[in-house]
Amino acid sequence: MTENRFDFEGLSVATYHGGRGAPLMLLHGSGPGASSLGNWRTVLAPLAERFEVFAMDLVGFGKSDRKASEPYFDYALWVRQAQAMLARVPGESVGVIGHSLSGSIALTLASLEPRVSAVMTTGTMGGHFEPVASTRRVWTCPRNRPELVQALSGIIHDASVIDEAYLAAREPVVFAPGYAEYFDTMFQGDHQQYVNAAVLSPDTLAAVRCPVLMLHGRNDIAFPPSNSLDLAAQLPQADVALLGQCSHSVAFERPGTFLALASEFFGAA
């Protein structure tokens, strides 16, 4: 993948691009060390064998700039950022994959942008739920490796996935100077407010006219499968696949299933 950058509202955004084929844009989630590489490392290269892949780090995550002033959790800004990235992707139609918080962002993007031809989500937010201990842990920045492993263990069913390569993709972000304070400020106070900020309205869901495929781990406690099930019931064209022995990190826990379903879904779309 080739790394590049673009300017967005005075902030520098890190982007990743590779492959050939129909355009596909990926949006990562919001946990500790979240980034395009942290989220999609196991599937970027295989996807690029069939699609032209575009990804970026959201503002405040990965290699993208941080906001200079609060609020650091800025759903509207991230939606505008997704629109700015979409404008840089060629083609009349673009597939979008969004994980967790960005599942909600991807669906919002589809409601606003007719060029979005299909959306796939993994462990999506967007519905109503109450944060539990594992949710709160991934929205609190770890200060060392044991704390990072504990937080990640709450969103991964099989802890053996949390190997050196997995940690190496996240630790440079988590332990960057000043990042812990920034991240904790992003998610300060009652975590319910961040769940609520990502809830999709009936009008937004009604405006999503493209096909939608929602993958969710059956064992996802932090961001429960009810999100996908409740949203799918309100979407005109939505399928849901609940994956056994899988928690929140679908692309890492079930990469083969992720790739097979993505190839079939976006190939048909």
Side-chain angles (χ1 to χ4, degrees):
M1 302 295 290
T2 301
E3 294 188 29
N4 212 325
R5 307 189 74 85
F6 74 92
D7 182 78
F8 165 70
E9 297 186 8
L11 298 165
S12 180
V13 170
T15 66
Y16 307 86
H17 171 237
R20 298 178 63 183
L24 189 60
M25 187 170 96
L26 282 72
L27 303 170
H28 65 76
S30 63
S35 67
S36 290
L37 297 181
N39 224 144
W40 308 117
R41 177 177 55 83
T42 57
V43 298
L44 281 175
L47 285 173
E49 294 176 3
R50 179 165 182 180
F51 302 98
E52 185 174 9
V53 176
F54 299 83
M56 67 172 176
D57 292 341
L58 296 176
V59 168
F61 293 92
K63 297 180 181 180
S64 289
D65 280 353
R66 304 171 193 170
K67 288 186 66 178
S69 59
E70 300 179 37
Y72 299 148
F73 186 101
D74 196 335
Y75 185 91
L77 177 137
W78 290 323
V79 170
R80 296 196 304 274
Q81 184 185 350
Q83 290 179 293
M85 183 67 182
L86 180 65
R88 302 176 68 85
V89 177
E92 295 182 2
S93 61
V94 180
V96 179
I97 302 178
H99 175 62
S100 194
L101 172 65
S102 282
S104 173
I105 292 171
L107 290 169
T108 297
L109 184 67
S111 76
L112 299 171
E113 300 284 351
R115 288 181 63 223
V116 176
S117 58
V119 172
M120 186 170 108
T121 65
T122 58
T124 195
M125 294 175 62
H128 294 276
F129 70 96
E130 293 186 6
V132 295
S134 52
T135 320
R136 292 189 287 272
R137 275 197 298 271
V138 297
W139 284 344
T140 303
C141 195
R143 265 49 179 190
N144 52 54
R145 175 173 276 201
E147 289 184 2
L148 176 59
V149 171
Q150 182 185 31
L152 295 172
S153 297
I155 55 173
I156 293 176
H157 181 67
D158 180 1
S160 68
V161 173
I162 309 172
D163 57 15
E164 283 295 323
Y166 188 99
L167 293 169
R170 288 178 174 262
E171 285 182 331
V173 178
V174 175
F175 302 136
Y179 190 72
E181 293 77 14
Y182 183 93
F183 189 88
D184 285 347
T185 302
M186 181 186 294
F187 290 103
Q188 64 187 335
D190 184 0
H191 286 154
Q192 185 68 54
Q193 65 185 303
Y194 306 113
V195 173
N196 296 345
V199 169
L200 298 169
S201 71
D203 287 345
T204 295
L205 294 170
V208 178
R209 297 298 181 182
C210 65
V212 177
L213 175 60
M214 315 184 89
L215 311 185
H216 218 119
R218 289 182 180 273
N219 306 99
D220 192 347
I221 296 171
F223 302 90
S226 58
N227 278 287
S228 292
L229 295 168
D230 292 347
L231 292 174
Q234 303 175 69
L235 287 163
Q237 302 182 63
D239 292 326
V240 180
L242 297 181
L243 307 182
Q245 304 298 302
C246 182
S247 182
H248 188 59
S249 303
V250 174
F252 274 94
E253 297 179 79
R254 298 283 297 274
T257 302
F258 174 99
L259 290 165
L261 291 174
S263 295
E264 178 183 357
F265 177 64
F266 290 108

